């Protein structure tokens, strides 16, 4: 209840208290991880997510995404990539996993592979503004601003307030 009401510090205290009584279940470990991430403690969040994954055997794609996101915050990109590749193989229909993997590949400058994962994301999540934004970033990098603007307009058709797309489109238009 505290978590749902945005009272994160109180939720965190409750979770710690509950975990001290007995080791947290997978669901509780994930909730503790979520709370820790929201309060700016991604290292502890990653540990709780790892505990939840060990109990579940990686059966929940949302848990894999959360774990990889925490690892990314910590700049442990190799570990995040490994978790996401596992997630993409286990849950091929999850656009969030494939998009996050593509974004990490772009961050590590593996552009061609990232483009393939962005395309895969759009096959399972054709309205993913983040995937269109990723394709726009690739087009800008390759010196194709008109193509980038088209990708951004497509992203904004699906999600009119996608902040990254709005910002990049504004930058492109201001350069004309």
């Amino acid at each position: 209840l505290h978590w749902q009401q945005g009272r994160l510090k109180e939720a965190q205290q409750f979770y710690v208290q509950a975990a001290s009584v007995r080791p947290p279940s997978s669901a509780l470990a994930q909730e503790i991880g979520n709370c820790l991430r929201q309060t700016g403690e991604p290292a502890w969040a990653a540990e709780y997510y790892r505990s939840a994954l060990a109990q579940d055997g990686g059966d929940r794609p949302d848990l894999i995404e959360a774990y990889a996101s925490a690892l990314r915050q910590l700049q442990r990109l190799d570990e995040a990539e490994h978790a996401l590749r596992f997630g993409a193989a286990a849950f091929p229909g999850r656009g969030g996993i494939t998009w996050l993997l593509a974004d990490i590949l772009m961050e590590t400058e593996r552009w061609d592979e990232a483009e393939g994962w962005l395309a895969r994301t759009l096959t399972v999540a054709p309205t993913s503004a983040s995937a269109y934004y990723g394709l726009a970033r690739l087009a800008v990098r390759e010196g194709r601003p008109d193509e980038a603007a088209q990708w951004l307009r497509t992203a904004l058709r699906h999600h009119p307030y996608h902040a990254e797309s709005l910002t990049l489109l504004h930058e492109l238009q201001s350069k004309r």
Side-chain angles (χ1 to χ4, degrees):
L1 185 61
H2 296 303
W3 168 255
Q4 292 170 341
Q5 293 173 348
R7 297 168 23 205
L8 301 177
K9 285 294 183 190
E10 291 174 39
Q12 185 176 1
Q13 290 171 352
F14 171 77
Y15 289 146
V16 168
Q17 196 173 28
S20 69
V21 173
R22 66 183 176 130
S25 66
S26 176
L28 180 57
Q30 183 175 358
E31 287 300 313
I32 293 171
N34 291 342
C35 188
L36 288 166
R37 252 183 82 218
Q38 290 294 317
T39 57
E41 299 185 48
W44 280 107
E47 291 307 314
Y48 276 97
Y49 291 141
R50 185 188 337 262
S51 170
L53 283 167
Q55 293 178 51
D56 272 353
D59 287 352
R60 299 193 337 250
D62 58 323
L63 179 55
I64 294 168
E65 287 179 44
Y67 178 54
S69 293
L71 292 171
R72 182 182 189 182
Q73 280 182 275
L74 297 166
Q75 290 300 301
R76 291 165 47 187
L77 300 179
D78 289 342
E79 292 173 75
E81 179 184 342
H82 178 77
L84 291 165
R85 286 185 186 280
F86 168 81
F91 306 101
R94 280 298 286 242
I97 289 175
T98 56
W99 172 81
L100 188 53
L101 177 56
D103 205 43
I104 286 174
L105 291 169
M106 285 189 286
E107 194 169 331
T108 56
E109 299 183 359
R110 290 182 279 166
W111 311 109
D112 291 338
E113 191 176 0
E115 187 172 17
W117 283 102
L118 289 168
R120 186 170 172 184
T121 299
L122 290 173
T123 64
V124 298
T127 62
S128 172
S130 297
Y132 290 111
Y133 170 73
L135 290 169
R137 286 174 49 201
L138 291 174
V140 166
R141 182 187 170 283
E142 294 171 1
R144 300 187 320 263
D146 292 337
E147 180 183 335
Q150 288 176 326
W151 288 125
L152 294 168
R153 287 187 193 97
T154 302
L156 293 169
R157 250 193 326 275
H158 295 295
H159 298 279
Y161 301 106
H162 188 255
E164 293 91 350
S165 295
L166 287 167
T167 301
L168 185 53
L169 185 59
H170 176 74
E171 288 173 13
L172 290 173
Q173 290 173 338
S174 68
K175 291 180 182 178
R176 288 181 174 220

